[in-house]
Amino acid sequence: MSTPKPKLVFLVHARRVDAHGSTADCKDAQLVLDTDLAGRRDAFNPAELLLAALSACMIKGIERVVPILRFELRGVEVRVEGVRQDVPPKLESVRYEIVVDTDETDHRLALLHENVRKYGTVFNTVAPGTDLAGELRRKG
């Protein structure tokens, strides 16, 4: 009988700095968070942070499968837009566009997109509770 693989655990520590902002620490990194009720332009608010995490998840997923699929790419961009509903407050829909700079075939682009949707931790966390849809396309 094999021993089960230990689960990956993520740890983030956030703290209020003052009425205008907070910080979040993870590993050796720190983010300034927009927790000011009036908002601030120099930091991500919680919804933007979630969308940034979703974007990073998509890019990391692509980085993970590129060597496996022997997929040639020169770059990747992700654009994400979330629409907030007021009652109850939540992101009711999220639309994304993944733009890949590559000469790969349309079939290979579809395979890459399938992998992004199937194996992303944040993607699979957000998808069940949100109208999440988008496309992966070639740059240009």
Side-chain angles (χ1 to χ4, degrees):
M1 220 166 147
S2 65
T3 306
K5 183 178 174 185
K7 293 187 179 186
L8 186 56
V9 176
F10 303 96
L11 179 62
V12 173
H13 178 247
R15 69 178 182 84
R16 178 184 187 268
V17 174
D18 56 30
H20 305 289
S22 301
T23 60
D25 297 291
C26 178
K27 300 176 280 194
D28 294 330
Q30 184 176 74
L31 291 173
V32 175
L33 306 174
D34 172 9
T35 53
D36 188 321
L37 292 179
R40 52 187 284 185
R41 304 222 24 100
D42 66 336
F44 286 76
N45 69 35
E48 293 161 341
L49 203 55
L50 178 66
L51 297 178
L54 180 61
S55 300
C57 177
M58 292 177 193
I59 294 170
K60 188 164 186 167
I62 289 169
E63 294 293 348
R64 184 179 300 113
V65 300
V66 159
I68 296 166
L69 299 176
R70 294 190 178 119
F71 192 98
E72 297 289 327
L73 73 105
R74 292 176 290 276
V76 177
E77 293 179 36
V78 178
R79 294 179 188 93
V80 182
E81 178 181 271
V83 176
R84 182 183 185 271
Q85 79 176 29
D86 287 332
V87 180
K90 71 173 196 168
L91 290 178
E92 66 181 18
S93 66
V94 175
R95 296 293 175 264
Y96 65 87
E97 179 184 49
I98 305 168
V99 180
V100 181
D101 187 2
T102 186
D103 296 322
E104 295 280 357
T105 66
D106 289 346
H107 174 74
R108 302 263 295 157
L109 285 171
L111 179 62
L112 186 64
H113 193 202
E114 179 183 327
N115 275 273
V116 166
R117 290 190 306 251
K118 197 171 190 179
Y119 298 110
T121 301
V122 176
F123 192 99
N124 288 324
T125 300
V126 171
T130 309
D131 175 13
L132 174 61
E135 67 175 1
L136 185 146
R137 68 171 180 83
R138 182 183 336 280
K139 183 177 181 177

